[in-house]
Amino acid sequence: MSTFAPSERAKAAGASVEVDISGLVPGEMKTVEWRGKPVWILKRTPDMMASLKDTKNDNELADPHSERNKDELTPEYARNEFRSIKPTILVAVGICSHLGCSPGTKFQPGPQPSLPNDWEGGFLCPCHGSTFDLAGRVYKNKPAPDNLQVPRHMFVGDGKIVIGKDEKGEA
Ligand code: FES
């Protein structure tokens, strides 16, 4: 029996994944698997983008400018208020920086259980309540220490995105 299984090996080693996002509508999120991790691709609405420009919100974030562990968590092209290449498209690894649960989507703004009354939309980790904004930035005074990871990625044409690879090569 052959022990050589290139596709499985490639997956384990973290081969990049190409995703067709041409059908994503504003407000919709797609989850794909990369290196065994869930990667979210969210197409933000104009309101979602506006919430990220709210500086009141910045004061409530632990690392609003993505300065912590930036080589690991935020590639150069995502070191902006949207943490993304295009303001409309968020790409983030959906794993909480506390103990690794996968946060759930809480896109609806406003008061609701487990969230503050001025909630602007984002993600809530079900395990210990860490919250993240729509750029994957963690709120202050929560167990999760860091923002969600933005994996290296690039657009190929308008309708496709590659996760795990960018102009500099494979992640
Ligand atoms: S694992 Fe997310 S808050 Fe603890």
PDB file of all heavy atoms in Angstrom, residues 3-4 20 64 84 113 117 138 142:
ATOM      1  N   THR A   3       2.068   4.913   0.851  1.00  0.00           N
ATOM      2  CA  THR A   3       1.824   5.867   1.942  1.00  0.00           C
ATOM      3  C   THR A   3       1.841   7.289   1.397  1.00  0.00           C
ATOM      4  O   THR A   3       1.705   8.242   2.142  1.00  0.00           O
ATOM      5  CB  THR A   3       2.900   5.741   3.035  1.00  0.00           C
ATOM      6  OG1 THR A   3       4.165   5.875   2.426  1.00  0.00           O
ATOM      7  CG2 THR A   3       2.794   4.434   3.761  1.00  0.00           C
ATOM      8  N   PHE A   4       2.032   7.391   0.098  1.00  0.00           N
ATOM      9  CA  PHE A   4       2.123   8.734  -0.489  1.00  0.00           C
ATOM     10  C   PHE A   4       0.742   9.226  -0.917  1.00  0.00           C
ATOM     11  O   PHE A   4       0.114   8.649  -1.792  1.00  0.00           O
ATOM     12  CB  PHE A   4       3.074   8.685  -1.699  1.00  0.00           C
ATOM     13  CG  PHE A   4       3.292  10.024  -2.320  1.00  0.00           C
ATOM     14  CD1 PHE A   4       3.876  11.051  -1.598  1.00  0.00           C
ATOM     15  CD2 PHE A   4       2.898  10.258  -3.650  1.00  0.00           C
ATOM     16  CE1 PHE A   4       4.089  12.295  -2.172  1.00  0.00           C
ATOM     17  CE2 PHE A   4       3.112  11.504  -4.215  1.00  0.00           C
ATOM     18  CZ  PHE A   4       3.701  12.532  -3.478  1.00  0.00           C
ATOM     19  N   ASP A  20     -14.844  30.723  -4.623  1.00  0.00           N
ATOM     20  CA  ASP A  20     -15.649  31.573  -5.501  1.00  0.00           C
ATOM     21  C   ASP A  20     -16.588  32.404  -4.629  1.00  0.00           C
ATOM     22  O   ASP A  20     -17.412  31.859  -3.905  1.00  0.00           O
ATOM     23  CB  ASP A  20     -16.458  30.663  -6.440  1.00  0.00           C
ATOM     24  CG  ASP A  20     -17.279  31.479  -7.430  1.00  0.00           C
ATOM     25  OD1 ASP A  20     -17.328  32.721  -7.309  1.00  0.00           O
ATOM     26  OD2 ASP A  20     -17.873  30.861  -8.328  1.00  0.00           O
ATOM     27  N   PRO A  64      -7.435  48.292  18.616  1.00  0.00           N
ATOM     28  CA  PRO A  64      -8.183  48.820  17.462  1.00  0.00           C
ATOM     29  C   PRO A  64      -7.349  48.922  16.180  1.00  0.00           C
ATOM     30  O   PRO A  64      -7.907  48.828  15.079  1.00  0.00           O
ATOM     31  CB  PRO A  64      -8.643  50.208  17.919  1.00  0.00           C
ATOM     32  CG  PRO A  64      -7.803  50.552  19.105  1.00  0.00           C
ATOM     33  CD  PRO A  64      -7.403  49.249  19.731  1.00  0.00           C
ATOM     34  N   SER A  84      -8.871  44.560   6.111  1.00  0.00           N
ATOM     35  CA  SER A  84      -9.099  43.803   4.888  1.00  0.00           C
ATOM     36  C   SER A  84      -8.514  44.528   3.684  1.00  0.00           C
ATOM     37  O   SER A  84      -8.175  45.708   3.761  1.00  0.00           O
ATOM     38  CB  SER A  84     -10.606  43.575   4.695  1.00  0.00           C
ATOM     39  OG  SER A  84     -11.301  44.798   4.700  1.00  0.00           O
ATOM     40  N   PRO A 113     -29.498  39.431  24.316  1.00  0.00           N
ATOM     41  CA  PRO A 113     -28.827  38.696  25.396  1.00  0.00           C
ATOM     42  C   PRO A 113     -27.320  38.549  25.173  1.00  0.00           C
ATOM     43  O   PRO A 113     -26.890  38.338  24.042  1.00  0.00           O
ATOM     44  CB  PRO A 113     -29.513  37.321  25.354  1.00  0.00           C
ATOM     45  CG  PRO A 113     -30.825  37.563  24.704  1.00  0.00           C
ATOM     46  CD  PRO A 113     -30.623  38.709  23.754  1.00  0.00           C
ATOM     47  N   ASN A 117     -25.934  47.078  25.121  1.00  0.00           N
ATOM     48  CA  ASN A 117     -27.059  47.747  24.468  1.00  0.00           C
ATOM     49  C   ASN A 117     -26.661  48.501  23.204  1.00  0.00           C
ATOM     50  O   ASN A 117     -27.477  48.689  22.308  1.00  0.00           O
ATOM     51  CB  ASN A 117     -27.740  48.716  25.442  1.00  0.00           C
ATOM     52  CG  ASN A 117     -28.525  47.949  26.491  1.00  0.00           C
ATOM     53  OD1 ASN A 117     -28.804  46.759  26.330  1.00  0.00           O
ATOM     54  ND2 ASN A 117     -28.868  48.624  27.572  1.00  0.00           N
ATOM     55  N   VAL A 138     -11.139  42.301  18.847  1.00  0.00           N
ATOM     56  CA  VAL A 138     -11.725  41.898  20.131  1.00  0.00           C
ATOM     57  C   VAL A 138     -12.023  43.133  20.992  1.00  0.00           C
ATOM     58  O   VAL A 138     -11.265  44.108  20.983  1.00  0.00           O
ATOM     59  CB  VAL A 138     -10.785  40.902  20.869  1.00  0.00           C
ATOM     60  CG1 VAL A 138      -9.477  41.557  21.327  1.00  0.00           C
ATOM     61  CG2 VAL A 138     -11.500  40.253  22.050  1.00  0.00           C
ATOM     62  N   LYS A 142     -12.373  41.322  27.943  1.00  0.00           N
ATOM     63  CA  LYS A 142     -12.940  40.011  27.608  1.00  0.00           C
ATOM     64  C   LYS A 142     -11.805  39.002  27.731  1.00  0.00           C
ATOM     65  O   LYS A 142     -10.634  39.370  27.640  1.00  0.00           O
ATOM     66  CB  LYS A 142     -13.460  40.010  26.167  1.00  0.00           C
ATOM     67  CG  LYS A 142     -14.578  41.009  25.927  1.00  0.00           C
ATOM     68  CD  LYS A 142     -15.837  40.551  26.600  1.00  0.00           C
ATOM     69  CE  LYS A 142     -16.944  41.574  26.409  1.00  0.00           C
ATOM     70  NZ  LYS A 142     -18.176  41.164  27.037  1.00  0.00           N
TER      71      LYS A 142
END
